[in-house]
Amino acid sequence: MSLATHLPALQVVLPLVSAPLAVLLRHGGVAFAVVTAGAWAAFATAIGLWLEVGQLEHGAFISYHIGNWAPPWGIEYRVDRLTSLVLLLVSGMAALVLTASRASVEREIPRESHYLFYAMFGLCLAGLLGITITADAFNVFVFLEISSLSSYVLIALGRDRRALAAAYRYLIMGSIGATFIVIGIGFLYLMTGTLNMADMAARIGAIESSRPVLAALAFLTVGISLKLALFPLHQWLPNAYTYAPSVVTAFLAATATKVSVYVLIRFYFSVFGESLVFDKLPLPQIMLWLSLFAMFAASFTAIFQDNLKRLFAYSSVGQMGYITLGLSFDSVNGLAASIVHLFNHGIAKGAVFLLIGGLVLGIAKPGSAPPTPSFDRLAGLAKRMPLTCLGIVIAGLSLIGVPGTAGFISKWYLILAALESGQPWLVGAVLLSSLLAIAYVWRFVEVAYLRSPAPGHEARMEAPLSLLIPAWLLVAGTIWFGLDTSLSLGSALEAAGALVRSGR
Amino acid sequence: MIEHFSYIVTVFLMIAGLYIVIARGNLIKKLVGLSVFQTSVYLLYLAPGKLLGGTAPILAPEYGVYSNPLPHVLILTAIVVGVATLALGLALAVRIREVYGTIEEDEILALDHRIEEAEEQGEEHRA
């Protein structure tokens, strides 16, 4: 047995081990090195798995049996095209954000808790990767709680005291969501007698319309929707993103809600099956309207925010609307739009929040805690921090969906799916909501580029290179995936093709 | 009625717990509600896993009927998760009490609102 056969286990184990190591070493710098190395190792593993899946035939998957216990009795890890794409996103974002984190963490988190911060980051990463890779329903819950509990701690470490209240609120809402998910899984387990998702799917056909299965679907939908901040269950998100430390916001905004979408796709398409979810229940209509509300209400709210972080937090809720809108079509193009937007939006939001972390460092007075990035503090900042501001604008263009950026690809497929489903008015809705995105990105452009800086604050001071380089790699990613879509869109289409009507 | 007794208890605890989380403004009481809610799920798994007259899964000629041990194992994990959630929630409540001086949700919101107003006024002052 070579190391390569154990890649699926290593994917989770490497970052998982880095967390307790960081605690034992009790030193901020060393903990940073260990957890960052763990994240890069996870990223390398994800690339390895990606290549391995690429060699398989269409729709095939890698199955790994933990402890050599054969499924459905043992826990199975399963990697198909969709899984490996999400693994790439999560581990890649973690590796880049962690590499960029040092300067920001130095200023925003008390020195004595640096090693604990990095340990929590490692745990959160391990949890998110575990949710993605596992094919065991109860295992999903366990990893979900590992990542959630560590993200509550990460958010509570923010400098502002409102971070504590935000973390508490997220803990309550997140735990309710997770408990709903366990209730749903419990019903499924009671009815099918198995926890392996593929096994569940095979047994669910005969009892599809029984009441416990429908109840399970309802509990899982509400629970996961809480986790992915589907409008109107997004109340925890804006404050949590606003008051969390900058690097935490960058990582969570890019990955946590995206992994929840992945779980929803898994349960809908791989466990319950489309005929139950989309044909027998009015779920597509409900999801369509909630997505539209998110796209408009949240983006509209974003325009009127005075805090740049909160503005982009509301934009995240709006962008999640596009992802769930794609799901509601139940077509290959719709699902592909969701998956590709999940990927593209993750990269763009990661870049935006990382660069905002740079802005905050730039406007901080020496020796004092970094201030909130409110608009009056950002006036004329483009002259002082040209690269940081330009990066935010380019990633912002991707949020709008300007041709040539990654966001355009997702919206294009969303529009295709809307036309296919015979709802051309949705094209107008997508375009109209993009106008709202132009408005909130323009607010930043106006303040940073067109206003003049306060007198005495003209000196040039760019964010540190250790932060700028990883952030600009992400910015370059938003352009790259807008031009060469073979990786993002290619695999999204392949994954969607394998999931949608896989029985046919 | 009697054969559904365990389900009725489960659902009662579930609804009571969720109601406390939503209806109470005290951070500690909310956590109590959350714990009751989570505990109801332990029952949801455990009660159907019990066979009347069944033993622990021991392979011996004198025991023919045994209960499935898997639900117990799952719930052991869920209990650990519940304890961790409660501990973290209480720790956050302690920190909130330290910086805000209260654990009532409406008072915390009022204090936050006051900070936001002060921030806005400070900004106008600077402008």
Side-chain angles (χ1 to χ4, degrees):
Chain A
M1 279 238 185
S2 70
L3 197 64
T5 54
H6 292 294
L7 282 183
L10 288 173
Q11 180 75 79
V12 180
V13 168
L14 288 173
L16 191 62
V17 170
S18 74
L21 262 182
V23 175
L24 289 174
L25 292 168
R26 293 186 69 88
H27 181 278
V30 181
F32 160 73
V34 168
V35 175
T36 309
W40 280 104
F43 188 40
T45 316
I47 294 174
L49 282 172
W50 168 270
L51 296 175
E52 212 175 310
V53 172
Q55 287 166 357
L56 302 174
E57 57 182 297
H58 181 83
F61 53 84
I62 304 167
S63 170
Y64 182 86
H65 308 159
I66 296 287
N68 259 336
W69 291 90
W73 297 283
I75 291 172
E76 183 191 9
Y77 279 7
R78 192 179 268 217
V79 186
D80 61 8
R81 201 25 116 195
L82 178 60
T83 312
S84 70
L85 185 72
V86 178
L87 289 176
L88 266 187
L89 173 73
V90 174
S91 58
M93 289 306 303
L96 285 173
V97 169
L98 273 167
T99 311
S101 68
R102 199 73 187 115
S104 182
V105 168
E106 202 72 54
R107 290 298 294 274
E108 291 187 20
I109 289 162
R111 183 167 285 277
E112 65 273 13
S113 40
H114 279 186
Y115 72 100
L116 293 172
F117 170 84
Y118 283 111
M120 283 300 138
F121 206 114
L123 271 187
C124 188
L125 171 62
L128 291 172
L129 291 171
I131 300 171
T132 312
I133 203 168
T134 188
D136 181 283
F138 199 80
N139 218 222
V140 169
F141 161 71
V142 174
F143 278 122
L144 183 79
E145 283 294 14
I146 292 178
S147 69
S148 303
L149 285 167
S150 46
S151 60
Y152 307 147
V153 178
L154 287 173
I155 290 166
L157 282 170
R159 287 303 280 246
D160 199 296
R161 71 175 184 180
R162 280 168 284 185
L164 290 170
Y168 180 89
R169 190 173 197 181
Y170 184 20
L171 178 129
I172 296 287
M173 297 189 73
S175 299
I176 293 176
T179 310
F180 269 57
I181 293 172
V182 212
I183 295 172
I185 293 170
F187 279 135
L188 283 180
Y189 175 56
L190 289 181
M191 293 308 288
T192 59
T194 180
L195 286 167
N196 184 289
M197 286 180 175
D199 205 27
M200 251 180 200
R203 295 182 190 197
I204 220 166
I207 45 165
E208 213 173 48
S209 308
S210 67
R211 200 169 284 172
V213 172
L214 294 179
L217 177 61
F219 273 110
L220 281 166
T221 302
V222 175
I224 300 171
S225 300
L226 250 168
K227 281 284 175 188
L228 69 80
L230 178 66
F231 189 90
L233 302 171
H234 67 282
Q235 302 295 339
W236 57 269
L237 187 142
N239 271 358
Y241 282 13
T242 308
Y243 300 117
S246 308
V247 285
V248 173
T249 312
F251 179 60
L252 291 183
T255 57
T257 46
K258 311 296 176 286
V259 168
S260 306
V261 175
Y262 168 84
V263 174
L264 193 66
I265 294 176
R266 268 279 167 261
F267 272 106
Y268 276 8
F269 290 88
S270 302
V271 176
F272 286 104
E274 289 155 285
S275 63
L276 174 64
V277 178
F278 294 101
D279 297 344
K280 295 196 182 140
L281 297 173
L283 215 83
Q285 285 83 352
I286 298 173
M287 199 159 254
L288 175 77
W289 284 105
L290 291 182
S291 308
L292 285 174
F293 274 120
M295 282 155 56
F296 284 95
S299 305
F300 197 69
T301 318
I303 299 175
F304 297 101
Q305 298 306 316
D306 266 325
N307 182 326
L308 194 60
K309 260 176 124 178
R310 187 187 282 271
L311 182 153
F312 281 112
Y314 273 107
S315 141
S316 273
V317 180
Q319 299 277 335
M320 292 313 285
Y322 294 118
I323 298 179
T324 46
L325 179 68
L327 276 183
S328 74
F329 293 131
D330 182 31
S331 64
V332 174
N333 279 343
L335 187 59
S338 291
I339 296 169
V340 82
H341 196 53
L342 173 162
F343 186 80
N344 291 341
H345 177 243
I347 293 179
K349 263 296 150 53
V352 166
F353 279 120
L354 210 50
L355 288 166
I356 291 179
L359 283 186
V360 169
L361 285 180
I363 58 177
K365 292 188 190 71
S368 68
T372 51
S374 59
F375 273 122
D376 62 306
R377 291 199 177 92
L378 304 177
L381 211 62
K383 288 204 184 67
R384 301 173 61 201
M385 311 178 79
L387 282 175
T388 317
C389 289
L390 184 66
I392 296 181
V393 172
I394 294 178
L397 291 180
S398 176
L399 294 180
I400 298 169
V402 174
T405 61
F408 174 70
I409 307 293
S410 354
K411 287 200 180 155
W412 179 253
Y413 268 81
L414 209 52
I415 288 173
L416 277 185
L419 289 175
E420 251 177 30
S421 71
Q423 291 161 294
W425 61 278
L426 279 173
V427 178
V430 170
L431 293 178
L432 215 60
S433 67
S434 302
L435 285 181
L436 294 176
I438 295 181
Y440 61 68
V441 174
W442 177 253
R443 279 204 69 194
F444 173 73
V445 174
E446 195 234 300
V447 170
Y449 283 83
L450 303 181
R451 282 195 208 163
S452 51
H457 288 281
E458 283 99 1
R460 187 169 164 161
M461 46 171 317
E462 201 59 79
L465 273 183
S466 63
L467 190 146
L468 265 188
I469 293 172
W472 263 91
L473 279 176
L474 291 173
V475 172
T478 65
I479 301 283
W480 174 266
F481 292 117
L483 301 174
D484 176 13
T485 57
S486 56
L487 183 126
S488 54
L489 185 65
S491 47
L493 280 170
E494 190 191 327
L499 284 172
V500 173
R501 305 290 169 191
S502 42
R504 284 198 310 215
Chain B
M1 185 72 189
I2 212 75
E3 65 263 38
H4 287 144
F5 179 68
S6 67
Y7 293 134
I8 292 166
V9 173
T10 308
V11 170
F12 173 76
L13 284 177
M14 211 175 262
I15 294 171
L18 196 56
Y19 175 79
I20 298 170
V21 181
I22 295 167
R24 293 292 123 182
N26 183 302
L27 299 192
I28 303 290
K29 287 181 184 165
K30 267 183 184 299
L31 287 173
V32 171
L34 193 64
S35 291
V36 173
F37 183 45
Q38 286 177 326
T39 309
S40 74
V41 181
Y42 308 160
L43 272 180
L44 176 76
Y45 277 71
L46 289 178
K50 171 68 185 163
L51 276 183
L52 289 179
T55 64
I58 302 166
L59 280 179
E62 57 264 45
Y63 305 119
V65 184
Y66 62 88
S67 300
N68 184 354
L70 188 60
H72 304 81
V73 181
L74 298 178
I75 288 316
L76 206 56
T77 318
I79 289 173
V80 175
V81 168
V83 169
T85 311
L86 184 61
L88 180 58
L90 287 172
L92 281 174
V94 169
R95 289 281 293 122
I96 288 174
R97 168 78 172 69
E98 279 171 10
V99 293
Y100 283 91
T102 175
I103 51 165
E104 294 295 332
E105 201 177 30
D106 46 349
E107 290 174 20
I108 292 169
L109 284 176
L111 282 168
D112 276 348
H113 191 64
R114 225 177 292 161
I115 305 181
E116 268 153 34
E117 274 181 354
E119 270 179 4
E120 274 166 29
Q121 276 171 5
E123 275 151 22
E124 276 162 26
H125 185 67
R126 249 178 295 144

